[in-house]
Amino acid sequence: TPSTQKTNTNQIVVERLQQDIVVKPYHKNLIISNLYGDIFVRKTTEPFVGVLSTTQVFPMINAKALIDISSNEKDIKVDISYDPQKIEKFSGKEKKIGRVDLVIFVPSTLKLNLITDYGVINLKELKNDVLLKSNTGTIKTSSSGEVKIITNSGNIYTNLINPKLKDSSYIRSEFG
């Protein structure tokens, strides 16, 4: 069961969410889409994915994030989205709508697929195979799994520990 905590200030509303998802033997992938916030991933030896989130909402804009955590026969998904009409209204100023920052605890049995536009993706000492995508955010990883890293104009910092460098591993930055 998720637990939440809410704090109000004059400037922003901060909400915290904590939820654990049990990893079943048939789960293969953890897919996270968080376009306007950071994603921090740490390893766990427990058989669950732990999701901690901190949401900031600016009252004058009031673009509340929708946090959807779900699973099916193959994937566990964490999707952070906003009302498209509010995003369109603030096009080009998305950083001012608020943000959701995630801390994810993950067992080594899942492949990771993480996506952000502006946020930081930070992975520490993972054995998981990873696909990391960012538009302009920074990607930092320390991994011994297969890596696929793509950014349009963000920075990439990587430490590959005894990497499984297969023909399918790559690190690519268009302009960063």
Side-chain angles (χ1 to χ4, degrees):
T1 12
S3 66
T4 59
Q5 177 184 6
K6 189 172 183 176
T7 307
N8 285 318
T9 68
N10 291 338
Q11 299 296 321
I12 58 174
V13 176
V14 178
E15 297 179 358
R16 291 181 175 76
L17 167 77
Q18 178 178 345
Q19 184 170 348
D20 296 333
I21 303 118
V22 176
V23 177
K24 303 290 186 186
Y26 51 80
H27 287 136
K28 303 297 179 206
N29 302 302
L30 173 60
I31 302 167
I32 300 174
S33 175
N34 186 16
L35 297 184
Y36 307 119
D38 298 341
I39 305 170
F40 297 90
V41 180
R42 302 297 181 256
K43 65 182 175 181
T44 182
T45 57
E46 301 297 326
F48 61 81
V49 172
V51 179
L52 302 171
S53 72
T54 301
T55 303
Q56 298 177 351
V57 179
F58 296 94
M60 51 193 279
I61 299 169
N62 199 26
K64 182 150 175 57
L66 305 171
I67 301 174
D68 182 31
I69 300 172
S70 62
S71 65
N72 60 31
E73 301 80 32
K74 187 178 172 187
D75 304 323
I76 296 173
K77 296 181 181 180
V78 178
D79 184 47
I80 311 300
S81 61
Y82 291 84
D83 178 345
Q85 291 177 342
K86 295 226 180 208
I87 295 301
E88 187 176 303
K89 183 178 177 181
F90 292 95
S91 182
K93 300 175 186 173
E94 287 86 353
K95 292 182 183 181
K96 296 181 180 180
I97 65 166
R99 61 186 292 132
V100 177
D101 293 327
L102 297 172
V103 178
I104 307 291
F105 295 92
V106 62
S108 62
T109 57
L110 296 174
K111 290 184 178 181
L112 304 179
N113 182 338
L114 312 178
I115 301 167
T116 185
D117 259 2
Y118 303 105
V120 170
I121 296 176
N122 185 311
L123 285 71
K124 276 199 176 171
E125 299 177 7
L126 296 182
K127 295 180 180 179
N128 309 62
D129 292 344
V130 298
L131 169 61
L132 311 174
K133 294 181 184 176
S134 173
N135 187 26
T136 61
T138 297
I139 297 174
K140 297 178 182 180
T141 182
S142 172
S143 175
S144 63
E146 177 181 27
V147 296
K148 296 177 182 177
I149 302 173
I150 304 165
T151 184
N152 189 26
S153 63
N155 294 315
I156 298 173
Y157 304 92
T158 186
N159 180 18
L160 302 177
I161 307 164
N162 299 320
K164 293 189 285 184
L165 292 178
K166 300 177 183 177
D167 289 339
S168 58
S169 289
Y170 56 85
I171 298 171
R172 183 173 65 221
S173 176
E174 299 299 322
F175 303 104

